[in-house]
Amino acid sequence: MVDLSQYLPILMFLGVALALSSAFVFLPMGVARLTGAHKPTAEKLSEYECGFPAFEDSRSQFDVRFYLVAILFIIFDLEAAFLFPWAVSVFDLGWTAWISMMIFIGELALGLVYAWKKGALEWE
């Protein structure tokens, strides 16, 4: 028989986290409605980031190149995240780690050349 009482602290932690996060989300909205701070007007709902109305619907599709650049950024950002710990411990790991990282960097370089040749990095 499994003793489920060992999971009680985890369940208590999750309950407290859920209660606090709900309080941080819903209490300010409730207080704003009760105190009268929630009075939407045309001035409050106007554009405030750029100063002029949007040209088209905000739910319009982005160009595919935006997604390609974002994915390439994530790939090379992860490369840097893998490269730093490897560089710190490369002398302790030996030649196998060095060769495997060179293969990894070579694959990323081939991917970069491919993306460059396909024009994924061109921006108009």
Side-chain angles (χ1 to χ4, degrees):
M1 188 99 168
V2 178
D3 184 22
L4 295 178
S5 65
Q6 295 175 352
Y7 291 105
L8 184 62
I10 296 172
L11 290 175
M12 289 173 52
F13 176 77
L14 288 175
V16 169
L18 182 65
L20 283 176
S21 60
S22 297
F24 284 137
V25 170
F26 295 116
L27 272 178
M29 290 190 294
V31 169
R33 290 212 185 251
L34 291 175
T35 60
H38 179 75
K39 292 182 180 170
T41 62
E43 190 65 33
K44 283 185 180 180
L45 296 176
S46 66
E47 295 83 11
Y48 61 90
E49 288 184 5
C50 59
F52 54 87
F55 296 118
E56 56 188 45
D57 187 25
S58 63
R59 291 182 277 299
S60 63
Q61 292 182 346
F62 284 100
D63 193 7
V64 174
R65 288 176 291 188
F66 172 78
Y67 296 111
L68 289 174
V69 170
I71 288 172
L72 287 172
F73 172 76
I74 290 171
I75 288 172
F76 287 105
D77 190 42
L78 287 176
E79 175 198 2
F82 286 133
L83 197 59
F84 286 130
W86 171 81
V88 170
S89 62
V90 67
F91 295 114
D92 298 332
L93 297 175
W95 283 102
T96 306
W98 189 83
I99 291 171
S100 63
M101 185 55 78
M102 292 303 115
I103 291 171
F104 177 69
I105 291 174
E107 289 174 354
L108 283 173
L110 284 174
L112 177 64
V113 169
Y114 177 77
W116 199 336
K117 292 289 184 186
K118 287 290 184 178
L121 301 176
E122 297 294 324
W123 202 266
E124 297 172 4

